[in-house]
Amino acid sequence: MAKIRDVAREAGVAVGTVSMVLNHADYGSPAIRKKVEDAVKKLQYVPSEMARNLSLKRTMTVGIIVPTVAHPFFAELVEALEEALYHLGYKTMLCCTRQRENAEHVFIEMLQRQNMDGIIMGAHSLDTSIYQGLKQPIIAFDRYLSPEIPIVHADHVLGGRLAARAFLQHDCRHIVEISGSQMVETPAREYHQAFNEVMHAHGIHTDIVFLPWNSFGFEESVALAEKIFDEFQEVDGILGSDVSVSSCLQAAVRRGIKVPEQLKLVAYDGTYITQNGICKLTAVRQPITELAEVAAKKMVSLINGTPDELPWVVPPTLLPGETC
Amino acid sequence: MAKIRDVAREAGVAVGTVSMVLNHADYGSPAIRKKVEDAVKKLQYVPSEMARNLSLKRTMTVGIIVPTVAHPFFAELVEALEEALYHLGYKTMLCCTRQRENAEHVFIEMLQRQNMDGIIMGAHSLDTSIYQGLKQPIIAFDRYLSPEIPIVHADHVLGGRLAARAFLQHDCRHIVEISGSQMVETPAREYHQAFNEVMHAHGIHTDIVFLPWNSFGFEESVALAEKIFDEFQEVDGILGSDVSVSSCLQAAVRRGIKVPEQLKLVAYDGTYITQNGICKLTAVRQPITELAEVAAKKMVSLINGTPDELPWVVPPTLLPGETC
DNA sequence: GTGAAAGCGCTAACAC
DNA sequence: GTGTTAGCGCTTTCAC
């Protein structure tokens, strides 16, 4: 493996010159540049990123922590983040914590070891104390981790109102809301509050049921759907995440409940699964791509210490469908 | 940020001693070890991974290239790989190529720059020439990339026969197979061959339709499902990937076609979506977790130059369901 | 067992 | 402009 010294020798210039030519497009005379480039080609020289990292004290790598990637929302999120980071010149390190609770500690430690320039945290975290006093850049995605950690999220108050507006166009009397675990501190909780406010102002009854902690599989969701139909016989509207609501749709089909005639459904998230089921689900779409772009850009700003003016909150939209 | 020199000074020992104590559990007297450990704690010393990498010429990082992560199969695969690599002490770098064709070049270059110790390649690749003459460890996942690149995959011949056996228990006369693009060189193609052999031996008619190149969305799959029902009115069995077949199931429900009475369905992959739809899909399950473990272990063996005896091919199983 | 010192390969400041 | 050189922080050989 050729190193920079070999290139310098081959080109008949100094090491520093090679480095400058390679890293600064406006350095050196055309003649010198050509000599260096020829030498690089001849020796098939590829600079060592590790040495570069050590010298520059950065890795151009951002870590993403999510509970799982086998879930439509996180899958879209991770893909969008990876894409956004890539275009900003950053690589993506992935950590899925669902199967091992301690993994986030390890990942945070990796951040400290400077293996990564920053972390975008999209996983639930019960123990937020690890984040206290961390100097390195962290951005939370739709999670309250600690007062100092900035957080990117959709405008869930608007989201809740959009969902409410959808239901209000019809004549629902009893709406069941499916929520994530109460243990998780997330802004997403606000959409239920905003939704309830509107519904109660209109005298509509709402019940709320909770998914278990750290539940991202379909199994729990299917089970919960069945339970809802068993417990709330008179339910005529359901609001919940894509996965929850699509499970409800399927359960409804199995039970011969007609959607949207007897039951209205609104999914919160609007990932690809709302568009490709038995029918298109009416959904509040979280602007995942935009959120990912904001998170990525904010992260780069944080790393470079160059603040930007991007808003931390992005508005969701209503995706019309056939279920409400 | 404390460095190793500070720790050495604090502990009253030499730099080399600190390094040895930290990296070799059996080095040094208990007294010395304690002195070092105390100093580490006092200074909150965290070793720099970058410096370590440069010295050791390795990164303990493996890259994973997939077309997308917003697809059940790849989502499960990536998660399983990340998990397996984690337990082997490796970090996971993620690259999704669906949205940018050139990304795999960049990733391969990163491999050369020693940013990663190896790559597990799960993406399609039309231009396999980049892989020629690469010295660094690459493992292909269910893809033929180049003769020298080893490949981990399920036993698709067995998979095809399992699918055939499922259909043969019923009285199908006309089966449509949905296949990935013909442009992709993958062992997975073999399951169609094996399946056809058995079916034709039993005098059963089969047709095959192809998904477009690089198609991993549900949209294409839904469109194809509709097309199949339009074109092949007398179809009474469908075999294809999870996504394709679940799209067919939904299209069938919309058209009032009774499953399994009028139409038998077998999904090839057996990801979580086969278990949580309108009904459980009968499926040939690719052993994703095992495949990921094999790939991860093989990768580590390749990196360390310590060959193992694990088989490269893992048998699939039949997941009983309600659709065949 | 311990300390000094030579790398690992690159970057950038500093003289020429 | 160009060449020299001192780091970046750690690992590990090699004398003591």
Side-chain angles (χ1 to χ4, degrees), chain A residues 1 46-54 57-59 61 67-72 74-76 78-80 82-83 86-87 91-96 98-100 102-103 106-107 109-110 112-115 136 218-219 222 247 250 253-254 272-273 275-279, chain B residues 1 46-54 57-59 61 67-72 74-76 78-80 82-83 86-87 91-96 98-100 102-103 106-107 109-110 112-115 136 218-219 222 247 250 253-254 272-273 275-279:
Chain A
M1 270 253 161
V46 181
S48 157
E49 201 69 23
M50 294 191 288
R52 207 146 190 280
N53 289 344
L54 180 59
K57 299 180 121 185
R58 55 143 183 68
T59 59
T61 297
T68 176
V69 97
H71 180 285
F74 291 110
E76 283 193 15
V78 167
E79 186 143 343
E82 193 265 345
E83 171 88 0
Y86 177 86
H87 288 298
K91 296 149 223 132
T92 296
M93 210 106 155
L94 179 69
C95 177
C96 305
R98 180 172 54 167
Q99 322 217 31
R100 47 210 142 89
N102 66 321
V106 178
F107 227 58
E109 200 185 301
M110 274 167 58
Q112 292 181 141
R113 292 189 186 223
Q114 314 174 57
N115 231 320
Q136 290 94 336
F218 279 73
E219 299 77 10
V222 170
S247 296
Q250 285 159 359
V253 168
R254 274 194 296 271
Y272 64 90
I273 69 163
Q275 301 304 301
N276 302 287
I278 303 171
C279 58
Chain B
M1 269 253 160
V46 181
S48 158
E49 202 70 23
M50 294 191 288
R52 209 145 190 280
N53 288 345
L54 180 59
K57 299 181 121 183
R58 55 145 183 66
T59 60
T61 297
T68 175
V69 97
H71 180 285
F74 291 111
E76 284 194 13
V78 167
E79 186 143 342
E82 193 265 345
E83 171 90 0
Y86 176 86
H87 287 299
K91 298 149 221 130
T92 296
M93 211 107 156
L94 180 67
C95 177
C96 306
R98 180 174 50 169
Q99 322 216 30
R100 46 210 141 88
N102 65 322
V106 177
F107 227 58
E109 200 183 301
M110 276 168 56
Q112 291 182 142
R113 291 188 186 224
Q114 314 173 57
N115 230 323
Q136 289 94 336
F218 278 73
E219 298 76 10
V222 170
S247 297
Q250 287 160 357
V253 168
R254 275 195 297 270
Y272 64 90
I273 68 163
Q275 301 304 301
N276 304 287
I278 304 170
C279 59

Side-chain angles (χ1 to χ4, degrees), chain B:
Chain B
M1 269 253 160
K3 345 179 165 192
I4 200 167
R5 299 177 53 169
D6 305 322
V7 177
R9 196 182 315 121
E10 176 71 32
V13 298
V15 171
T17 310
V18 176
S19 176
M20 289 303 273
V21 166
L22 258 33
N23 296 307
H24 302 274
D26 54 347
Y27 180 92
S29 65
I32 278 286
R33 294 191 68 85
K34 176 149 176 41
K35 276 204 286 187
V36 171
E37 279 152 19
D38 288 348
V40 165
K41 216 161 282 171
K42 179 170 176 198
L43 300 178
Q44 300 204 55
Y45 169 69
V46 181
S48 158
E49 202 70 23
M50 294 191 288
R52 209 145 190 280
N53 288 345
L54 180 59
S55 220
L56 262 29
K57 299 181 121 183
R58 55 145 183 66
T59 60
M60 298 303 282
T61 297
V62 170
I64 300 180
I65 310 183
V66 287
T68 175
V69 97
H71 180 285
F73 182 79
F74 291 111
E76 284 194 13
L77 175 63
V78 167
E79 186 143 342
L81 281 173
E82 193 265 345
E83 171 90 0
L85 287 169
Y86 176 86
H87 287 299
L88 292 168
Y90 282 81
K91 298 149 221 130
T92 296
M93 211 107 156
L94 180 67
C95 177
C96 306
T97 59
R98 180 174 50 169
Q99 322 216 30
R100 46 210 141 88
E101 291 293 308
N102 65 322
E104 62 185 76
H105 292 72
V106 177
F107 227 58
I108 299 287
E109 200 183 301
M110 276 168 56
L111 175 62
Q112 291 182 142
R113 291 188 186 224
Q114 314 173 57
N115 230 323
M116 293 172 294
D117 294 345
I119 283 182
I120 296 173
M121 174 75 187
H124 297 331
S125 186
L126 294 182
D127 177 14
T128 53
S129 66
I130 1 169
Y131 303 105
Q132 311 289 350
L134 251 188
K135 292 282 165 294
Q136 289 94 336
I138 293 200
I139 286 182
F141 190 93
D142 215 25
R143 302 275 176 277
Y144 296 117
L145 293 183
S146 112
E148 308 92 56
I149 297 180
I151 162 172
V152 174
H153 61 98
D155 182 343
H156 293 298
V157 171
L158 174 55
R161 290 189 185 145
L162 287 174
R165 197 179 305 166
F167 279 112
L168 285 177
Q169 294 181 338
H170 306 280
D171 185 33
C172 292
R173 306 308 310 159
H174 184 172
I175 292 174
V176 172
E177 295 169 62
I178 304 173
S179 166
S181 165
Q182 285 174 291
M183 297 165 73
V184 183
E185 298 288 347
T186 160
R189 207 85 68 65
E190 291 163 15
Y191 89 77
H192 283 113
Q193 291 166 11
F195 179 79
N196 280 335
E197 253 173 46
V198 180
M199 295 326 259
H200 295 168
H202 284 76
I204 297 171
H205 182 74
T206 63
D207 277 305
I208 189 156
V209 296
F210 296 95
L211 280 162
W213 155 253
N214 216 16
S215 154
F216 298 102
F218 278 73
E219 298 76 10
E220 294 97 332
S221 172
V222 170
L224 190 57
E226 298 293 350
K227 202 176 141 211
I228 288 171
F229 290 122
D230 287 341
E231 272 187 31
F232 304 98
Q233 309 264 334
E234 55 327 333
V235 58
D236 58 5
I238 298 178
L239 171 65
S241 74
D242 287 5
V243 173
S244 309
V245 169
S246 84
S247 297
C248 288
L249 173 58
Q250 287 160 357
V253 168
R254 275 195 297 270
R255 289 174 181 237
I257 299 171
K258 289 233 164 59
V259 177
E261 293 79 1
Q262 298 168 261
L263 178 69
K264 313 274 182 281
L265 298 172
V266 174
Y268 199 93
D269 280 348
T271 64
Y272 64 90
I273 68 163
T274 60
Q275 301 304 301
N276 304 287
I278 304 170
C279 59
K280 281 201 202 305
L281 287 167
T282 303
V284 175
R285 165 82 183 164
Q286 291 213 50
I288 298 181
T289 311
E290 293 86 334
L291 286 167
E293 274 167 12
V294 168
K297 282 181 188 157
K298 293 274 183 197
M299 175 51 74
V300 174
S301 302
L302 237 48
I303 291 170
N304 298 329
T306 57
D308 59 67
E309 292 305 313
L310 284 174
W312 291 90
V313 181
V314 187
T317 52
L318 189 74
L319 243 46
E322 307 161 36
T323 60
C324 185

Side-chain angles (χ1 to χ4, degrees), chain A residues 232-278:
Chain A
F232 304 98
Q233 309 264 333
E234 55 327 331
V235 58
D236 58 5
I238 298 178
L239 170 65
S241 73
D242 287 3
V243 173
S244 308
V245 169
S246 84
S247 296
C248 289
L249 173 58
Q250 285 159 359
V253 168
R254 274 194 296 271
R255 288 172 183 240
I257 300 171
K258 289 232 163 62
V259 177
E261 292 80 1
Q262 300 167 263
L263 178 69
K264 312 275 183 281
L265 297 173
V266 174
Y268 199 91
D269 281 346
T271 64
Y272 64 90
I273 69 163
T274 61
Q275 301 304 301
N276 302 287
I278 303 171

Side-chain angles (χ1 to χ4, degrees), chain A residues 67 97-99 101 124 181 184 212-217 220:
Chain A
T97 60
R98 180 172 54 167
Q99 322 217 31
E101 291 293 307
H124 297 331
S181 165
V184 183
W213 154 255
N214 215 17
S215 154
F216 297 102
E220 294 97 332

